[in-house]
Amino acid sequence: MSPVYIFQFFILFIGVNSFTLLIYMIYYGQLFSSICCDTFEKQYDYIIVGSGTAGSVIAHRLATETNYTFIVLEAGGKGIPLFDIPVLGPLLHGSIYDWRFETVPQENACLAMNNKKCRLPQGKIIGGSSKLNNMIHVRGNTSQYVDWFQAKYGKDFIEQQFQFVEDNILHLNEIKYESEFASAIIEAAIELGYNTIDEFDKGFRKSKVSQNNGKRWSTSDKLDISKHVLTNAFVEKVNIKNNIAYSVNVLISDKKYKINARKGVILAAGTYNTPKILQLSGIGPRDVLEPLNIHIIQDLPVGLNLQDHIATGLDLILFDKTLAVNPMNMLNPFHIFEYFVNGRGPLTTPGCEAIGFLSTGGDDTPDLQFMVMPVGISADRGTHLKTSLGINQTIWDNYFAQSFDKHAATILPIVLHPKSKGKVYINRTGPKTPPCIDPNYLSNLDDVKTLIDGIKLVIKFANTSPMKALGAHVNSIHFPGCEEYLIFSDEYWECYVRHLTLTSYHPVGTCSMGHSASDSVVDTSFRVFGVERLFVADASVLPTLPSGNINAAIAMMASLFFETTIKSTGVGLTSSISLVCKKTDFLNDYVQRICLNEKVSR
């Protein structure tokens, strides 16, 4: 390694580890403060589990449009405004604000990762994964969402929910700073005959991001955290009696409590944690629960139908010169000043400067998304991104580290609707034991073919005149483990994608919505089949993946849940036995608690 790279590594190492130390100081300082100062009631009208995009939208609308009492239980911490600097988002991956999930060893994918396990970052912080993502706002194919709800709601109504969230909860902006790569990609798309687009369609556009004055903006930023959110509150299970959900067990500062819900428990803990909580509560597949001696309340396909946007192609595009977005630029005092004073500059970069949607089948429906990223993982010289992705050392040394003399960038092809499906399941009853996550990546050969077609399109882009003008070329280093194949042949690319398999952090489907309890977990009103007053309203209910980044679709879905299940009915219960009482009606409340034979402890 040359002296220049050693110096860069040293500077970045100090920066990354100083930030990591700061993260721990902030987290434990806030944890100590919450132990001393946080208070909560014994019961509320609604309990929301999880403060991610969905939970925060529901909480915001409950707070502003109803007089219901509610509490949001968040297992993670609060974070600080410093974390909202967009360029720092990747540094939260693998931190104490990340659940640090990973897959079980994969047979057909993740071969370049340690132990054949892909890392699965998920936010453990107020705001959830929207505090770790690329902030890209994509509505996707809105016609698809009509199918999610079995045509119960029309396209116009669904688009109204998008509009409500965009106008009242999110802040959306065009990107504030971009490298030369962004414009070159748009020009290259035009040269290849593709359109520039505004919303979901075949073609390319520069990214629209969820930012406010250059800083990351999440749906949780609209919440009164001190009033409605309890942090470091780890929900263990939902308590159910007579097929009615009435409370949750929650661990707060190593003490167990039960908090009652008069009208409903709303699970919004995410695609991995929500099925785990349901299974621990006795709702899930019989073959998962019986071996663990968990009393089965409802035999439902909880944890099945896991889908994720899979991608590949990190550091596949190399440039002979450094682009305007690079790690050393982030340390420039002028750019730091520009961010804090004007909300502009490279610190506002979302990591993805442009997106595109293309079809490999020749029809009008895109099956690939492309994310244009001006830096690769080799840019930080191995100080953080290698570890957060779990790249094994041999792959790093023999592939990524060999490009230090170039500027690496990525056009990431993403399979929009993969046919490979997996599952999430518990194998122990300990609430703090992570769930087993088996996405079964690339088990369907159609997904492999789509990714290979995507790589071929990336190569076409690299060979356009706008890209050549920047000195772009395809990384010709043979990927370790694929040396037996002719480089750039279909056999080589299949080996490549099976090694360098990447998640886009878009898991859905593990508590799928539908008409029947035989193949679904919730109905089209988000009610868990067979259990009153228990709802799921997060990415886990989506029966299929949206056509693009999922944050916007999740926010829409959460708004629709509130509009149709809470606001329109006024109650969260459809039962012939009325256990719902007005919060001012002490007698009914007292009778309800006696009926459920539950003592609420604190």
Side-chain angles (χ1 to χ4, degrees):
M1 188 181 291
S2 75
V4 173
Y5 306 146
I6 292 173
F7 175 74
Q8 291 174 342
F9 176 86
F10 179 72
I11 295 297
L12 293 170
F13 179 84
I14 291 175
V16 168
N17 284 277
S18 296
F19 186 75
T20 301
L21 178 61
L22 176 64
I23 286 174
Y24 276 91
M25 291 172 62
I26 291 166
Y27 177 84
Y28 285 106
Q30 291 179 343
L31 178 61
F32 179 76
S33 175
S34 67
I35 292 172
C36 298
C37 306
D38 285 354
T39 61
F40 55 96
E41 302 296 328
K42 295 179 179 179
Q43 59 185 332
Y44 297 86
D45 290 329
Y46 287 101
I47 296 172
I48 302 172
V49 181
S51 71
T53 294
S56 293
V57 168
I58 297 164
H60 170 74
R61 298 201 66 179
L62 277 169
T64 56
E65 300 178 47
T66 76
N67 64 350
Y68 293 139
T69 61
F70 70 93
I71 188 72
V72 181
L73 301 177
E74 169 55 50
K78 296 178 181 178
I80 60 172
L82 183 67
F83 296 171
D84 291 332
I85 299 176
V87 77
L88 296 181
L91 295 183
L92 294 180
H93 291 204
S95 75
I96 202 164
Y97 291 103
D98 178 3
W99 282 96
R100 301 174 182 171
F101 291 141
E102 60 182 7
T103 69
V104 301
Q106 296 295 285
E107 293 183 11
N108 304 297
C110 306
L111 304 183
M113 314 305 178
N114 292 320
N115 303 312
K116 299 180 182 179
K117 296 180 179 181
C118 276
R119 302 284 174 86
L120 304 171
Q122 292 283 287
K124 190 179 181 183
I125 186 174
I126 292 179
S129 296
S130 68
K131 292 294 185 181
L132 280 65
N133 67 6
N134 289 113
M135 297 158 282
I136 307 301
H137 186 84
V138 180
R139 283 192 179 187
N141 186 353
T142 53
S143 298
Q144 175 190 358
Y145 309 148
V146 177
D147 296 333
W148 285 353
F149 297 102
Q150 313 288 316
K152 183 177 180 179
Y153 308 112
K155 183 177 177 181
D156 288 345
F157 180 72
I158 288 170
E159 290 183 346
Q160 287 173 14
Q161 300 309 309
F162 271 116
Q163 198 65 50
F164 178 89
V165 171
E166 291 165 358
D167 291 345
N168 297 281
I169 302 179
L170 289 173
H171 281 275
L172 301 179
N173 297 120
E174 303 300 323
I175 56 175
K176 298 280 189 179
Y177 185 88
E178 63 187 57
S179 71
E180 312 91 309
F181 197 17
S183 294
I185 282 293
I186 301 300
E187 293 170 9
I190 294 171
E191 180 177 304
L192 292 172
Y194 299 117
N195 297 323
T196 56
I197 57 176
D198 292 324
E199 261 301 336
F200 179 76
D201 201 352
K202 288 172 65 175
F204 277 74
R205 69 170 170 85
K206 293 182 181 179
S207 298
K208 181 185 295 183
V209 292
S210 183
Q211 290 184 358
N212 183 27
N213 195 31
K215 81 174 185 69
R216 178 186 296 272
W217 183 268
S218 301
T219 58
S220 59
D221 292 339
K222 295 285 285 189
L223 283 179
D224 184 343
I225 293 174
S226 62
K227 183 177 181 181
H228 296 301
V229 183
L230 189 64
T231 56
N232 302 296
F234 185 92
V235 173
E236 298 181 325
K237 62 178 289 190
V238 180
N239 296 307
I240 301 165
K241 188 168 185 177
N242 299 327
N243 289 327
I244 300 171
Y246 65 94
S247 70
V248 299
N249 287 359
V250 58
L251 190 66
I252 304 171
S253 304
D254 292 326
K255 294 182 181 179
K256 291 187 177 182
Y257 301 97
K258 286 185 180 177
I259 303 178
N260 270 26
R262 297 185 185 93
K263 294 185 178 296
V265 175
I266 303 167
L267 294 180
T271 298
Y272 302 136
N273 274 319
T274 289
K276 173 191 168 184
I277 293 171
L278 285 175
Q279 290 173 7
L280 288 171
S281 305
I283 302 172
R286 185 174 296 275
D287 61 354
V288 171
L289 304 187
E290 275 190 343
L292 300 175
N293 295 317
I294 295 175
H295 172 65
I296 299 173
I297 295 173
Q298 291 293 328
D299 183 357
L300 296 174
V302 173
L304 305 183
N305 193 47
L306 173 63
Q307 300 161 63
D308 191 8
H309 282 146
I310 45 177
T312 193
L314 283 175
D315 293 32
L316 189 56
I317 304 297
L318 300 179
F319 293 88
D320 294 326
K321 64 178 182 179
T322 301
L323 301 184
V325 174
N326 62 80
M328 299 308 292
N329 230 0
M330 307 303 171
L331 301 175
N332 186 322
F334 172 76
H335 291 145
I336 296 172
F337 174 84
E338 189 178 17
Y339 173 81
F340 284 104
V341 174
N342 299 316
R344 294 186 176 276
L347 271 67
T348 68
T349 181
C352 172
E353 297 186 330
I355 59 172
F357 301 95
L358 299 180
S359 171
T360 62
D363 56 20
D364 291 330
T365 304
D367 57 356
L368 276 171
Q369 179 181 354
F370 293 85
M371 295 180 66
V372 179
M373 310 172 78
V375 293
I377 65 166
S378 58
D380 75 350
R381 303 305 187 231
T383 55
H384 176 72
L385 296 175
K386 172 177 73 75
T387 303
S388 69
L389 286 171
I391 302 286
N392 76 49
Q393 193 64 46
T394 299
I395 298 291
W396 177 262
D397 291 340
N398 292 294
Y399 187 77
F400 294 101
Q402 299 302 311
S403 301
F404 281 177
D405 61 333
K406 305 290 184 182
H407 181 100
T410 298
I411 305 174
L412 203 69
I414 302 168
V415 182
L416 282 177
H417 300 291
K419 295 180 180 178
S420 304
K421 297 181 180 181
K423 59 185 177 179
V424 175
Y425 58 97
I426 57 174
N427 62 359
R428 296 180 185 178
T429 56
K432 288 211 168 183
T433 302
C436 296
I437 304 170
D438 183 6
N440 210 15
Y441 289 144
L442 301 182
S443 57
N444 190 299
L445 287 176
D446 287 347
D447 297 340
V448 177
K449 181 182 183 303
T450 302
L451 273 182
I452 293 174
D453 289 343
I455 291 174
K456 291 177 179 179
L457 285 170
V458 170
I459 294 173
K460 282 187 177 182
F461 272 84
N463 289 324
T464 59
S465 54
M467 294 288 286
K468 289 293 186 182
L470 291 180
H473 57 278
V474 179
N475 191 337
S476 60
I477 298 173
H478 230 108
F479 200 87
C482 303
E483 294 88 351
E484 64 182 288
Y485 303 108
L486 177 66
I487 194 165
F488 300 166
S489 66
D490 283 2
E491 294 79 10
Y492 172 80
W493 287 127
E494 178 172 352
C495 178
Y496 176 91
V497 302
R498 291 194 185 281
H499 277 74
L500 194 58
T501 317
L502 307 169
T503 171
S504 298
Y505 318 123
H506 297 164
V508 305
T510 52
C511 298
S512 186
M513 179 189 299
H515 270 321
S516 169
S518 63
D519 58 4
S520 306
V521 177
V522 301
D523 62 20
T524 53
S525 295
F526 302 85
R527 295 177 174 88
V528 174
F529 284 112
V531 182
E532 300 289 357
R533 300 193 337 187
L534 181 57
F535 308 91
V536 178
D538 59 22
S540 69
V541 307
L542 307 186
T544 59
L545 277 159
S547 297
N549 303 65
I550 67 175
N551 194 65
I554 294 170
M556 176 279 294
M557 176 272 304
S559 179
L560 188 147
F561 163 76
F562 174 85
E563 192 76 29
T564 60
T565 303
I566 295 180
K567 185 177 179 180
S568 66
T569 62
V571 296
L573 174 67
T574 55
S575 174
S576 58
I577 302 174
S578 178
L579 291 177
V580 177
C581 57
K582 295 180 180 179
K583 55 189 174 183
T584 54
D585 190 337
F586 173 79
L587 180 59
N588 280 352
D589 180 49
Y590 183 70
V591 170
Q592 173 180 320
R593 293 170 64 190
I594 293 177
C595 179
L596 292 172
N597 191 28
E598 173 63 22
K599 292 183 179 180
V600 183
S601 61
R602 163 119 187 256

